[in-house]
Amino acid sequence: RSRTAEENEQLTALSAKLKEANQKMEDFFRQLYVSLGTSQPANRTVEKAEDETAALQARIRKLGAGTVAVYTLVAPDRYRVIVITPDVIVAREYPISAKDLRRKAFALTEDLRNRHSSPLAGAQELYKILVAPIENDLKGAQAQTLVWSLDDALRYLPVAALHDGKQYLVERYRSVLVTPASSPYLDGRPDTKHLRGL
């Protein structure tokens, strides 16, 4: 009731943007059905992505400002990533084959294990693919903690080691990895009353 005319205008504009973002997500999932094919496994993948992103958004809301979920999908012809904030779900993509993305992810993992090789080039290349498409979304959400749900070979990738050319991802964000099994416990608090230790 106490909103000014300017605040009402701002609320109307924000509501319109939210409606547009929701429509884009519906379109994204429709396109995903088309691009992955009409097979039963493909349909299950899309349904699972819809369910898991909605569940992650509910949990992110409980964790408060600064926490953003990043849900990844590796498709045959492109990498798709869904950014989930307490208020908005936005999808982005990067054109790369699943085969090339897997190769790059495993190469970086090997470079990180080998003390005689430098992982920097691979870390920067994968940053451009995995994070650069959502950089503005993360800034807009004032992200501090990224909750990653990684698909396919990306599960084996230490995302904290990705490099933007100036910094490693770990220097900019806290990263948490979740799986469908661990996701329900994301907003739980550990029972520390009964812990004992030296």
Side-chain angles (χ1 to χ4, degrees):
R1 291 179 193 164
S2 64
R3 281 196 301 258
T4 65
E6 186 180 309
E7 289 171 331
N8 279 329
E9 254 182 59
Q10 188 178 17
L11 180 62
T12 302
L14 289 172
S15 294
K17 284 183 178 179
L18 186 59
K19 186 176 180 181
E20 181 185 340
N22 287 335
Q23 184 59 52
K24 284 183 179 177
M25 276 312 297
E26 286 180 32
D27 293 344
F28 168 79
F29 284 119
R30 253 190 253 108
Q31 288 175 333
L32 202 55
Y33 273 113
V34 172
S35 70
L36 292 179
T38 56
S39 68
Q40 204 169 15
N43 286 339
R44 275 198 302 269
T45 297
V46 178
E47 289 167 7
K48 180 179 152 199
E50 284 185 279
D51 292 344
E52 288 179 1
T53 53
L56 273 171
Q57 187 175 42
R59 289 186 180 88
I60 292 297
R61 281 187 183 128
K62 293 179 184 176
L63 295 174
T67 304
V68 174
V70 181
Y71 187 92
T72 65
L73 285 164
V74 177
D77 63 340
R78 65 193 60 240
Y79 160 74
R80 290 185 171 93
V81 58
I82 302 171
V83 178
I84 305 160
T85 73
D87 303 311
V88 180
I89 300 177
V90 181
R92 306 286 182 225
E93 58 184 41
Y94 187 93
I96 186 170
S97 72
K99 182 180 176 184
D100 285 344
L101 185 55
R102 288 179 190 126
R103 184 179 48 76
K104 290 175 190 298
F106 287 128
L108 177 58
T109 304
E110 285 303 311
D111 284 344
L112 288 166
R113 287 186 184 133
N114 183 351
R115 66 179 185 197
H116 300 294
S117 67
S118 171
L120 200 56
Q124 289 176 348
E125 189 175 9
L126 277 167
Y127 181 93
K128 287 177 189 169
I129 296 166
L130 304 179
V131 183
I134 61 170
E135 248 177 0
N136 289 335
D137 301 310
L138 298 178
K139 284 178 190 169
Q142 298 176 341
Q144 297 169 2
T145 302
L146 304 182
V147 178
W148 291 89
S149 175
L150 298 171
D151 187 31
D152 203 82
L154 299 179
R155 291 184 185 117
Y156 307 105
L157 184 70
V159 290
L162 299 178
H163 196 277
D164 67 2
K166 295 177 185 173
Q167 295 178 293
Y168 287 98
L169 197 70
V170 71
E171 296 177 89
R172 294 174 54 200
Y173 303 105
R174 292 183 295 263
S175 288
V176 178
L177 302 181
V178 293
T179 64
S182 67
S183 181
Y185 306 104
L186 187 61
D187 55 349
R189 298 277 183 230
D191 177 12
T192 56
K193 292 178 185 173
H194 305 295
L195 290 179
R196 288 174 36 181
L198 297 174

